[in-house]
Amino acid sequence: MLAEPFYWHPGMWKMLIVVMCVALLGCLQAQELQEHVSIILLGATGDLAKKYLWQGLFQLYLDEVGRGHSFSFHGAALTAPKQGQELMAKALESLSCPKDMAPSHCAEEKDQFLQLSRYRQLKTAEDYQALNKDIEAQLQHAGLREAGRIFYFSVPPFAYADIARNINSSCRPGPGAWLRVVLEKPFGHDHFSAQQLATELGSFFQEEEMYRVDHYLGKQAVAQILPFRDQNRKALDSLWNRHHVERVEIIMKETVDAEGRTSFYEEYGVIRDVLQNHLTEVLTLVAMELPLNVSSAEAVLRHKLQVFQALRGLQRGSAVVGQYQSYSEQVRRELQKPDSFHSLTPTFAAVLVHIDNLRWEGVPFILMSGKALDERVGYARILFKNQACCVQSEKHWAAAQSQCLPRQLIFHIGHGDLGSPAVLVSRNLFRPSLPSSWKEMEGPPGLRLFGSPLSDYYAYSPVQERDAHSVLLSHIFHGRKDSFITTENLLASWGFWTPLLESLAHKAPRLYPGGAENGRLLDFEFSSGRLFFSQQQPEQLVPGPGPAPMPSDFQVLRAKYRESPLVSAWSEELISKLANDIEATAVRAVRRFGQFHLALSGGSSPVALFQQLATAHYGFPWAHTHLWLVDERCVPYYNIHPMPVHLQQRLCAEEDQGAQIYAREISALVANSSFDLVLLGMGADGHTASLFPQSPTGLDGEQLVVLTTSPSQPHRRMSLSLPLINRAKKVAVLVMGRMKREITALVSRVGYEPKKWPISGVLPHSGQLVWYMDYDAFLA
């Protein structure tokens, strides 16, 4: 019996198609579940890894393991396997779960994470080849498909090149899988070194493979700046410009000092450590034009670059710098520096930035950071102009809504009195819109922020606080580039900051005691594009109550002497200050003119100065320096120009015309016969160089170099004339010792009387005169 033919009903075809689609979707999901990511943490036993990175990787695992990914975590370092495994295990002991996770579930997840984490020594090319083979073997054994590899460089920048070379040559993932290389700052020391590092890394990795971490971009309040501006476009569009914004403050204050980190700090200082990266990134987020799509990493990075292109160049007057008083002593102790060493590294800096575009023209952006300050806090504060005038008195104002109250928007990055990230908007501005991941907050009763009670603000905080590195690791995993620093933006930032850093390299920072004792010492003001401290450097010579002061307890005194600047300190500090000033003058002269002409006096006072310059100033441009003599005592003796006092086997004979020969040499080599710096002393009788009282020789006239007569041995002298000295761009007079007290007091009271006191005739025509006196000479 033949079977009846089978006919497909149209509805059965539809069912079959549905079944096949479900099966195919299941296959695709199964394939997704088999995608594997290997994460290699280089520097796995270091401080950053122990404090933040292992916890961040654990959080990434918790977030992603249930979404179709499998993981392996390789902690790597130079340490030998057994010791490295022990150190890594200790670091992993402190892993914690989210507060809402049940303890039993937390223990289970931690155990699984630990099983997936292994330590390995990565030291040689063979080690990287072995790592690559192990990852491939694991994939093949478990039937996994490789999604990609993340290499996190938690190592010093000098190690980048070798690691990058080994990854590129033998540890890249296979076809179809991605590679992401994560780099921690510092990214160079200035524009040149950043360019070198970028070129070196660019020879091993593509730009899209590199993720330069600035952990401030992972801070929740910072990460909220663009979304906040986007969600509140309607309210902010008319306010976010020069017509309504009075100024922007971007601040990071710390109470801790640099103890234990002085080797790093001596190389980088506060501007490189904080302002060039963290605070500049916040500035770009506040100032950039808002893209139509703030989720587009390409658009965000392009608009941030436009901010860099509009920044007005910084000058030395754009910044004020300070250093807490115990810093130099910490450096001497930690880096085995001599007792005479005094650091010029700033631990505090405030910088005035302007953006030359239509939106922000004329609006001051103030960036400030420092160590050993009175509080730990970070924020970006946008202060709006207030043109309202309220007729009724303050007691009749509507609480928190009067237009006469301050109007401000604050992205509170962390710490401070609030103790957490927050977004604060003055109630007399607008009620903001924030995502569901932020909630309205209440602070402690009586809390005041930026001059107003907390009740004057709409205040919001994250529903769940997350560490910055956890946020950034999630962005790296998902390939989000907008929270990272591209090569182009990095070089633009260094191009902006490097000229200021070079101009401050030899500037002595203001000393401050640290903490609450700073008082108003670091307060600053700005005017006409310049920033300056509100208070003069303290001129108090005797500290307050306490044990008897030591010489090192006194600060360098800055005052006036004969209407010219005076620098006074104990002899050791004074010599150090003068040496630094001479080096700074030399560097500027060489940079501008290619050479530095320095005229030096004899005598005993400058000996310590010469020793300091010769032994402690390795950056002094000696190869471009010409040394001249101010005077010579006529005793027989590469860019050193001795006075020709010994001609024809005779000493200082007028007929040998040694003075005229020296004058011609000066005229030939020194432009306009104007020395860059002339260093003078002051004799107990008021003489300077070899220009003596009661003698008209060399005090006026057109002669550049003269022969004079000294009342003491040796009597015959050769000296620069007073008119030549007064042509100098800068004249420094060094006066030291108790023997000079009487003449110091006398000269302070006399006018222009060079015939009686030749030193009183030292008044550079277009240059600067600075007096350097130690306390023994000054405290007459």
Side-chain angles (χ1 to χ4, degrees):
M1 184 175 177
L2 295 173
E4 293 185 16
F6 184 79
Y7 296 98
W8 286 92
H9 188 274
M12 296 175 68
W13 279 107
K14 291 180 181 178
M15 288 178 63
L16 181 61
I17 291 170
V18 169
V19 169
M20 290 175 66
C21 286
V22 169
L24 179 60
L25 181 61
C27 290
L28 289 173
Q29 288 176 335
Q31 189 176 14
E32 280 187 15
L33 285 171
Q34 294 177 345
E35 287 207 337
H36 184 81
V37 177
S38 303
I39 300 179
I40 301 92
L41 175 54
L42 298 138
T45 58
D47 284 343
L48 184 66
K50 288 186 281 188
K51 289 180 180 177
Y52 301 109
L53 298 182
W54 279 117
Q55 180 62 44
L57 291 174
F58 181 49
Q59 186 62 53
L60 176 69
Y61 170 77
L62 294 176
D63 293 341
E64 302 296 340
V65 72
R67 299 178 183 173
H69 296 99
S70 67
F71 291 90
S72 60
F73 300 92
H74 305 266
L78 299 176
T79 311
K82 183 179 179 181
Q83 183 185 1
Q85 182 63 48
E86 292 171 356
L87 291 170
M88 195 178 99
K90 192 170 183 179
L92 294 173
E93 288 175 2
S94 59
L95 295 179
S96 61
C97 298
K99 294 178 182 177
D100 57 355
M101 181 178 286
S104 58
H105 186 202
C106 175
E108 183 181 334
E109 294 288 3
K110 282 178 68 174
D111 185 60
Q112 290 178 356
F113 181 79
L114 293 174
Q115 290 182 35
L116 295 172
S117 304
R118 293 285 181 272
Y119 176 82
R120 65 188 309 131
Q121 184 181 36
L122 284 183
K123 196 172 184 179
T124 65
E126 290 74 21
D127 292 333
Y128 285 86
Q129 292 166 8
L131 170 63
N132 186 62
K133 288 179 181 177
D134 288 351
I135 292 174
E136 291 178 346
Q138 181 185 5
L139 293 167
Q140 188 173 5
H141 181 264
L144 300 170
R145 176 180 174 273
E146 184 167 31
R149 299 179 190 179
I150 296 174
F151 285 85
Y152 200 117
F153 286 42
S154 180
V155 296
F158 66 76
Y160 284 3
D162 284 342
I163 295 172
R165 185 179 296 104
N166 285 318
I167 292 171
N168 184 59
S169 63
S170 56
C171 219
R172 280 183 168 274
W178 44 256
L179 171 66
R180 289 171 192 157
V181 175
V182 189
L183 306 162
E184 279 279 352
K185 80 172 184 78
F187 314 120
H189 185 266
D190 53 19
H191 186 269
F192 178 73
S193 58
Q195 178 69 71
Q196 280 187 312
L197 183 61
T199 301
E200 200 164 33
L201 290 171
S203 65
F204 302 117
F205 305 126
Q206 300 296 317
E207 180 65 29
E208 62 269 18
E209 294 175 331
M210 290 185 283
Y211 290 71
R212 292 183 184 86
V213 169
D214 184 328
H215 79 271
Y216 243 55
L217 292 175
K219 299 277 189 183
Q220 287 173 287
V222 175
Q224 187 56 219
I225 293 175
L226 285 186
F228 180 91
R229 290 180 58 191
D230 185 44
Q231 284 191 256
N232 295 277
R233 280 180 192 258
K234 188 174 181 181
L236 287 174
D237 270 353
S238 61
L239 293 173
W240 212 252
N241 55 58
R242 69 184 191 276
H243 302 297
H244 297 279
V245 175
E246 179 181 313
R247 69 173 183 262
V248 177
E249 300 170 0
I250 303 172
I251 309 296
M252 178 182 159
K253 297 170 68 178
E254 296 183 274
T255 54
V256 299
D257 61 20
E259 188 168 16
R261 295 184 67 227
T262 57
S263 60
F264 170 84
Y265 229 72
E266 270 300 275
E267 186 174 357
Y268 289 93
V270 67
I271 295 179
R272 291 180 175 90
D273 186 35
V274 178
L275 277 76
Q276 180 272 328
N277 38 72
H278 303 329
L279 303 194
T280 302
E281 286 300 315
V282 175
L283 180 148
T284 61
L285 294 173
V286 170
M288 64 184 272
E289 295 298 315
L290 204 58
L292 291 175
N293 179 12
V294 296
S295 299
S296 166
E298 182 182 353
V300 168
L301 293 169
R302 184 173 65 252
H303 283 70
K304 286 173 74 173
L305 183 61
Q306 289 171 358
V307 175
F308 283 116
Q309 293 166 345
L311 291 174
R312 184 185 304 172
L314 295 173
Q315 307 296 325
R316 182 168 172 170
S318 304
V320 291
V321 293
Q323 181 191 100
Y324 63 84
Q325 285 177 336
S326 61
Y327 177 77
S328 282
E329 190 278 327
Q330 290 173 347
V331 174
R332 289 194 290 268
R333 184 177 66 250
E334 294 180 15
L335 304 183
Q336 287 81 51
K337 297 284 187 180
D339 292 342
S340 60
F341 175 81
H342 290 271
S343 173
L344 294 179
T345 300
T347 61
F348 167 88
V351 179
L352 178 62
V353 177
H354 281 96
I355 302 172
D356 291 331
N357 60 22
L358 286 176
R359 182 180 294 277
W360 297 114
E361 182 183 3
V363 176
F365 284 72
I366 299 162
L367 278 58
M368 186 201 85
S369 184
K371 290 188 173 293
L373 301 182
D374 62 321
E375 63 174 338
R376 182 185 184 191
V377 69
Y379 58 85
R381 178 189 183 212
I382 297 89
L383 182 65
F384 293 91
K385 297 176 182 177
N386 198 342
Q387 286 134 357
C389 184
C390 298
V391 175
Q392 287 187 297
S393 64
E394 187 174 349
K395 62 185 178 183
H396 297 295
W397 293 355
Q401 294 182 341
S402 170
Q403 287 304 304
C404 286
L405 288 167
R407 304 194 305 160
Q408 46 198 335
L409 166 58
I410 298 118
F411 296 97
H412 192 272
I413 298 168
H415 305 290
D417 291 332
L418 272 179
S420 65
V423 176
L424 309 170
V425 182
S426 294
R427 289 181 180 269
N428 57 0
L429 273 173
F430 60 91
R431 175 182 279 276
S433 172
L434 275 92
S436 58
S437 56
W438 288 69
K439 66 180 190 301
E440 289 199 56
M441 67 177 294
E442 293 183 7
L447 178 62
R448 294 181 67 84
L449 294 166
F450 307 101
S452 301
L454 187 60
S455 58
D456 281 7
Y457 300 96
Y458 296 109
Y460 299 84
S461 62
V463 173
Q464 181 182 359
E465 286 191 42
R466 294 194 63 176
D467 171 70
H469 281 90
S470 295
V471 172
L472 293 175
L473 280 164
S474 176
H475 290 182
I476 294 163
F477 181 80
H478 290 287
R480 283 186 51 183
K481 295 281 287 186
D482 53 314
S483 299
F484 301 90
I485 316 301
T486 63
T487 299
E488 194 172 21
N489 282 26
L490 172 69
L491 296 179
S493 179
W494 275 120
F496 173 66
W497 284 102
T498 296
L500 176 68
L501 289 164
E502 290 177 347
S503 73
L504 294 174
H506 302 284
K507 178 181 173 66
R510 166 170 289 196
L511 295 177
Y512 59 95
E517 295 179 18
N518 293 335
R520 298 192 58 234
L521 189 60
L522 296 177
D523 289 355
F524 55 88
E525 302 170 22
F526 53 90
S527 176
S528 303
R530 296 179 65 84
L531 210 65
F532 49 90
F533 284 118
S534 302
Q535 292 188 344
Q536 291 294 316
Q537 183 83 5
E539 297 181 3
Q540 177 184 351
L541 298 183
V542 181
M550 299 295 290
S552 59
D553 294 329
F554 292 99
Q555 297 182 4
V556 172
L557 168 70
R558 291 173 177 81
K560 292 279 187 179
Y561 181 82
R562 292 182 55 80
E563 304 303 317
S564 292
L566 165 71
V567 178
S568 190
W570 291 109
S571 57
E572 183 179 293
E573 285 85 357
L574 184 69
I575 290 297
S576 178
K577 169 64 177 162
L578 177 53
N580 289 331
D581 289 351
I582 291 174
E583 181 174 359
T585 304
V587 169
R588 284 195 300 270
V590 170
R591 185 181 295 131
R592 189 173 178 186
F593 304 111
Q595 54 191 356
F596 173 54
H597 290 280
L598 171 63
L600 299 171
S601 286
S604 59
S605 294
V607 172
L609 171 68
F610 302 153
Q611 290 174 338
Q612 175 86 1
L613 286 171
T615 61
H617 287 255
Y618 304 110
F620 199 99
W622 292 115
H624 303 282
T625 297
H626 289 255
L627 295 178
W628 301 84
L629 300 184
V630 168
D631 62 327
E632 180 56 86
R633 301 190 178 198
C634 296
V635 289
Y637 316 25
Y638 225 25
N639 281 358
I640 296 177
H641 304 270
M643 284 184 161
V645 297
H646 192 228
L647 299 172
Q648 308 296 329
Q649 305 299 311
R650 295 180 293 193
L651 288 175
C652 293
E654 287 190 24
E655 54 270 30
D656 293 335
Q657 296 191 326
Q660 292 88 330
I661 292 171
Y662 204 57
R664 286 198 295 272
E665 190 174 3
I666 291 171
S667 299
L669 294 177
V670 183
N672 301 317
S673 299
S674 174
F675 292 108
D676 296 301
L677 191 150
V678 174
L679 177 64
L680 298 175
M682 180 170 68
D685 58 354
H687 83 265
T688 190
S690 283
L691 305 174
F692 296 95
Q694 310 304 327
S695 172
T697 309
L699 299 180
D700 52 24
E702 296 183 1
Q703 280 187 276
L704 301 184
V705 185
V706 294
L707 291 174
T708 65
T709 302
S710 167
S712 59
Q713 290 282 358
H715 297 296
R716 295 296 285 163
R717 306 285 181 92
M718 187 180 289
S719 176
L720 303 187
S721 68
L722 194 58
L724 177 58
I725 290 170
N726 285 333
R727 289 189 191 183
K729 299 182 181 71
K730 181 174 181 178
V731 176
V733 182
L734 177 62
V735 187
M736 298 177 66
R738 294 186 180 187
M739 297 286 290
K740 302 294 176 68
R741 283 188 178 185
E742 188 174 342
I743 189 63
T744 297
L746 175 64
V747 170
S748 71
R749 297 191 293 267
V750 305
Y752 179 82
E753 299 184 64
K755 290 186 178 180
K756 292 183 180 179
W757 299 283
I759 189 67
S760 71
V762 178
L763 293 169
H765 305 312
S766 56
Q768 182 187 31
L769 169 63
V770 182
W771 297 81
Y772 293 81
M773 295 186 188
D774 69 358
Y775 290 144
D776 283 332
F778 177 65
L779 296 178

